């Protein structure tokens, strides 16, 4: 039981996650022209997303359950009328955090 020496090594791996970026459009035009035909919340560095879309009376229209899901302006196979629709979202980032928000989008049909 004399003098003791000990040496140890520790390797620290730091996983750097880029910040979550959310891009939300305010208008879409589902007129099959190939431009802006669907509503989608675009994200960078997200792992999961849930979006609930309702009409101005708060009636359920659509739910998006994945970061690749889009709304095409229909509900149960029926075209929704032009107007403003409201949504709430919850987005899970790669760093483990969750961001929640809400907003509105205007649906405009081609003439």
């Amino acid at each position: 039981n004399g003098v003791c020496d000990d040496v140890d090594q520790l390797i620290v791996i730091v996983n750097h996650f880029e910040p979550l970026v959310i891009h939300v459009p305010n208008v879409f035009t589902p007129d099959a022209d190939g431009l802006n035909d669907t509503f989608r919340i675009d994200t960078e560095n997200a792992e999961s997303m849930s979006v609930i879309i309702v009409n101005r009376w708060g009636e359920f229209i659509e739910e998006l359950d994945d970061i690749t899901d889009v709304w095409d302006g229909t509900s149960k196979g029926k075209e929704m009328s032009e107007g403003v629709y409201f949504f709430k979202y919850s987005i899970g980032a790669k760093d483990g955090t969750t961001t929640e928000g809400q907003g509105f989008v205007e649906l405009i049909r081609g003439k």
Side-chain angles (χ1 to χ4, degrees):
N1 290 347
V3 176
C4 293
D5 281 329
D6 193 11
V7 176
D8 197 2
Q9 289 185 342
L10 177 65
I11 298 174
V12 177
I13 299 173
V14 177
N15 289 327
H16 176 72
F17 293 102
E18 294 294 324
L20 177 65
V21 178
I22 302 170
H23 303 278
V24 183
N26 59 0
V27 173
F28 77 111
T29 56
D31 55 10
D33 68 355
L35 302 171
N36 201 28
D37 286 329
T38 59
F39 170 72
R40 174 183 177 170
I41 297 178
D42 288 318
T43 61
E44 295 175 29
N45 307 310
E47 283 192 327
S48 63
M49 177 169 31
S50 175
V51 181
I52 303 291
I53 302 168
V54 299
N55 64 17
R56 63 182 176 174
W57 297 283
E59 298 168 335
F60 174 83
I61 299 297
E62 189 68 42
E63 182 171 10
L64 310 178
D65 290 323
D66 191 84
I67 58 176
T68 60
D69 286 351
V70 298
W71 179 41
D72 63 1
T74 65
S75 180
K76 300 176 186 170
K78 178 184 169 195
E79 283 189 356
M80 296 287 90
S81 60
E82 285 190 331
V84 175
Y85 292 83
F86 302 88
F87 59 86
K88 288 180 78 169
Y89 63 83
S90 178
I91 300 173
K94 290 181 179 179
D95 66 2
T97 61
T98 300
T99 300
E100 295 182 345
Q102 58 192 12
F104 62 88
V105 62
E106 185 172 0
L107 186 159
I108 299 175
R109 298 223 175 255
K111 299 191 192 284

